[in-house]
Amino acid sequence: MNETPRNARNDRGDRSNRNDRSDTAGTGAPAVTGERADLLQALAKQRHFLTFTTRGLTDEQAGRRTTASELCLGGLIKHVTSVEAHWAEFIVKGPSAMPDFSAMTEEDYARRADEFRMLPGDTLEGVLAAYAKAARRTDDLVASVPDLDADHPLPEAPWNEPGARWSIRRVLLHVIAETAQHAGHADIIREALDGAKSMG
């Protein structure tokens, strides 16, 4: 995904080409320039691709599985919201802010699986609002941290290299990559739902 969707180009495309940033993705975060602006613009673009897949949908459609996967659009956004919020807390607090995956129980994994579903009481409007709140938190942090090279040890998890440390920069690159990955998933789910495409 290397360009802005046609339906959103006028409203997003010009903003993504700016060299400075006063309000990436409408978050109201302080202006930043240089590398921080590049990182936040890249993240804002992938957030947009993800949320764009929910345009015009009902709550029921946002929770509908449309492929062999168990994923749905609302659930994907709930998951990415949780991911971004946890990594933002990691930036501030280090590994203590993350779940201890080595000690998770079956109940813990069941609750984690609920991130990928629209549960009773969930609404698409509420899911999108929670995502916007997490985005503002991340953007504020990136604008205010003294040094993107500051790092923390990663929490213990089967997929983390023992003893590895991630800088704030590396965390942001990970969040961008995961958001982009799930935006691709969402595009497929939406096209299978009603034929709508983000591009093309």
Side-chain angles (χ1 to χ4, degrees), residues 148-188:
L148 294 179
D149 288 327
D151 64 3
H152 295 295
L154 289 179
E156 289 189 19
W159 47 85
N160 286 338
E161 179 184 353
R165 301 180 67 91
W166 276 13
S167 66
I168 296 172
R169 179 184 295 102
R170 181 67 183 83
V171 168
L172 289 170
L173 291 171
H174 174 76
V175 172
I176 291 168
E178 180 148 352
T179 306
Q181 178 185 26
H182 288 310
H185 294 154
D187 208 27
I188 294 169

Side-chain angles (χ1 to χ4, degrees), residues 45-65:
K45 192 169 188 177
Q46 298 308 322
R47 288 179 186 139
H48 172 69
F49 278 124
L50 176 59
T51 59
F52 189 70
T53 62
T54 67
R55 64 200 182 280
L57 295 184
T58 65
D59 294 339
E60 185 276 330
Q61 288 172 315
R64 190 185 303 172
R65 291 173 52 190

Side-chain angles (χ1 to χ4, degrees), residues 16-176:
S16 67
N17 290 329
R18 294 177 184 170
N19 291 325
D20 62 345
R21 171 188 167 279
S22 58
D23 186 12
T24 295
T27 62
V32 293
T33 59
E35 181 185 15
R36 295 177 194 234
D38 290 343
L39 290 167
L40 289 179
Q41 286 166 6
L43 180 52
K45 192 169 188 177
Q46 298 308 322
R47 288 179 186 139
H48 172 69
F49 278 124
L50 176 59
T51 59
F52 189 70
T53 62
T54 67
R55 64 200 182 280
L57 295 184
T58 65
D59 294 339
E60 185 276 330
Q61 288 172 315
R64 190 185 303 172
R65 291 173 52 190
T66 63
T67 69
S69 167
E70 294 191 6
L71 299 176
C72 65
L73 292 172
L76 272 177
I77 293 174
K78 285 177 63 177
H79 171 65
V80 174
T81 299
S82 176
V83 166
E84 186 164 330
H86 276 109
W87 282 114
E89 288 303 299
F90 175 84
I91 288 173
V92 176
K93 300 177 182 177
S96 64
M98 306 293 274
D100 183 356
F101 291 100
S102 65
M104 286 181 68
T105 65
E106 291 295 326
E107 289 183 356
D108 293 329
Y109 279 107
R111 282 193 293 270
R112 181 172 169 80
D114 285 342
E115 289 181 2
F116 294 91
R117 306 185 184 103
M118 290 286 280
L119 301 176
D122 284 344
T123 65
L124 179 57
E125 181 181 12
V127 166
L128 292 171
Y131 190 31
K133 182 178 179 180
R136 287 192 297 272
R137 168 67 168 155
T138 302
D139 289 1
D140 287 342
L141 279 174
V142 175
S144 61
V145 291
D147 186 1
L148 294 179
D149 288 327
D151 64 3
H152 295 295
L154 289 179
E156 289 189 19
W159 47 85
N160 286 338
E161 179 184 353
R165 301 180 67 91
W166 276 13
S167 66
I168 296 172
R169 179 184 295 102
R170 181 67 183 83
V171 168
L172 289 170
L173 291 171
H174 174 76
V175 172
I176 291 168

